[in-house]
């Protein structure tokens, strides 16, 4: 079971990782939120997708109310996530990013189900702290200080692993894996200037 508090469509690598496990014959589910955005990648029919909290559309998040209601949304996600876990009883749980890791830790699912393997996956590390709210900052602190509670910690490259280990200073079992083990079928339009894009994509002579 993959758990992600961010809308799944923003993280195609997680969809690919889930689909690869499903192709290996495992029963795979994903717990995530949705904000009504365009899906960057289709979720395979072999992977069950649970949207446990529907977030407001991006244009609605510019108002003051989402910040006031943020603790409520966090509590709702944690409660509904726990309900799904209790119903499905997965053998392994992959929790992606500090907000989801913090919700998983606060639910105390791991303590009540010692036979379940817990895997913490850090796509983005270090995080861009100046743009984050106080709740997300607390999630990051909790996730980093609890790495020893995971059976396995996954990061994208050796540099991020070294950075994480230096900050935490607590022994934990880790593995470096590719964030994108499968290529997107359709790539988004480039944001670089056209001449620079052509130069970068030009085949070597």
């Amino acid at each position: 079971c993959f758990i992600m508090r961010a809308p799944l469509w923003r993280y195609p690598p997680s969809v690919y990782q889930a689909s690869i496990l499903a192709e290996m014959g495992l029963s795979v589910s994903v717990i995530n939120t949705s904000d009504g955005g365009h899906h960057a990648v289709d979720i395979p029919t072999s992977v069950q997708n649970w949207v446990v909290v529907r977030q407001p559309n991006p244009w609605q998040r510019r108002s003051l109310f989402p910040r006031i209601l943020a603790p409520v949304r966090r509590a709702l996600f944690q409660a509904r996530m726990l309900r799904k876990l209790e119903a499905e009883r997965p053998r392994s749980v992959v929790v992606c990013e500090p907000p989801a890791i913090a919700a998983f830790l606060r639910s105390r699912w791991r303590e009540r189900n010692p036979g379940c393997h817990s895997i913490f996956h850090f796509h983005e590390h270090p995080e861009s702290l100046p743009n984050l709210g106080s709740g997300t900052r607390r999630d990051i602190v909790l996730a980093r200080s609890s790495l020893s509670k995971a059976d396995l910690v996954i990061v994208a490259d050796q540099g991020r692993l070294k950075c994480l280990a230096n900050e935490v200073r607590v022994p934990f079992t880790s593995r470096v894996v590719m964030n994108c083990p499968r290529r997107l079928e359709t790539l988004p339009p480039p944001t670089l200037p056209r001449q620079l894009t052509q130069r970068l994509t030009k085949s070597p002579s």
Side-chain angles (χ1 to χ4, degrees):
C1 180
F2 279 72
I3 302 175
M4 181 179 296
R5 253 203 68 210
L8 184 64
W9 67 270
R10 297 184 189 173
Y11 291 86
S14 293
V15 179
Y16 289 140
Q17 290 158 2
S19 64
I20 287 172
L21 291 174
E23 289 169 10
M24 294 170 61
L26 299 175
S27 176
V28 184
S29 304
V30 180
I31 297 175
N32 75 111
T33 62
S34 173
D35 61 4
H38 172 71
H39 286 262
V41 62
D42 291 330
I43 298 174
T45 56
S46 57
V47 177
Q48 185 174 2
N49 181 32
W50 292 324
V51 178
V52 297
V53 178
R54 188 164 293 281
Q55 305 278 32
N57 288 321
W59 62 269
Q60 293 175 312
R61 290 202 295 268
R62 297 174 185 172
S63 66
L64 179 63
F65 293 104
R67 288 187 176 274
I68 297 175
L69 296 176
V72 176
R73 289 204 306 270
R74 297 170 104 82
L76 276 175
F77 178 85
Q78 180 176 321
R80 293 174 181 176
M81 173 201 73
L82 182 58
R83 197 151 57 236
K84 289 291 186 184
L85 290 175
E86 292 285 356
E88 294 298 317
R89 297 279 172 178
R91 292 173 56 189
S92 299
V93 176
V94 182
V95 200
C96 303
E97 301 302 334
I101 293 172
F104 180 74
L105 290 167
R106 292 184 182 117
S107 73
R108 303 189 68 81
W109 165 264
R110 184 71 173 81
E111 287 81 350
R112 294 197 300 271
N113 298 270
C116 177
H117 299 290
S118 59
I119 302 165
F120 295 171
H121 193 171
F122 288 83
H123 286 292
E124 301 170 0
H125 182 86
E127 296 85 359
S128 178
L129 293 177
N131 300 322
L132 300 177
S134 58
T136 304
R137 290 171 183 264
R138 288 193 294 270
D139 291 344
I140 292 172
V141 171
L142 178 59
R144 291 180 183 177
S145 62
S146 305
L147 295 185
S148 60
K149 296 183 179 180
D151 295 297
L152 183 66
V153 176
I154 295 178
V155 291
D157 53 60
Q158 291 287 351
R160 298 184 202 202
L161 174 59
K162 184 177 179 180
C163 178
L164 189 62
N166 288 339
E167 292 176 358
V168 174
R169 300 189 183 280
V170 174
F172 58 88
T173 304
S174 62
R175 177 78 64 182
V176 176
V177 299
M178 292 177 60
N179 255 3
C180 296
R182 186 166 290 176
R183 180 178 173 83
L184 283 168
E185 292 297 328
T186 56
L187 298 176
T191 56
L192 294 172
R194 169 172 287 205
Q195 290 136 348
L196 180 58
T197 303
Q198 290 174 344
R199 196 179 312 157
L200 292 173
T201 57
K202 186 178 179 182
S203 300
S205 56

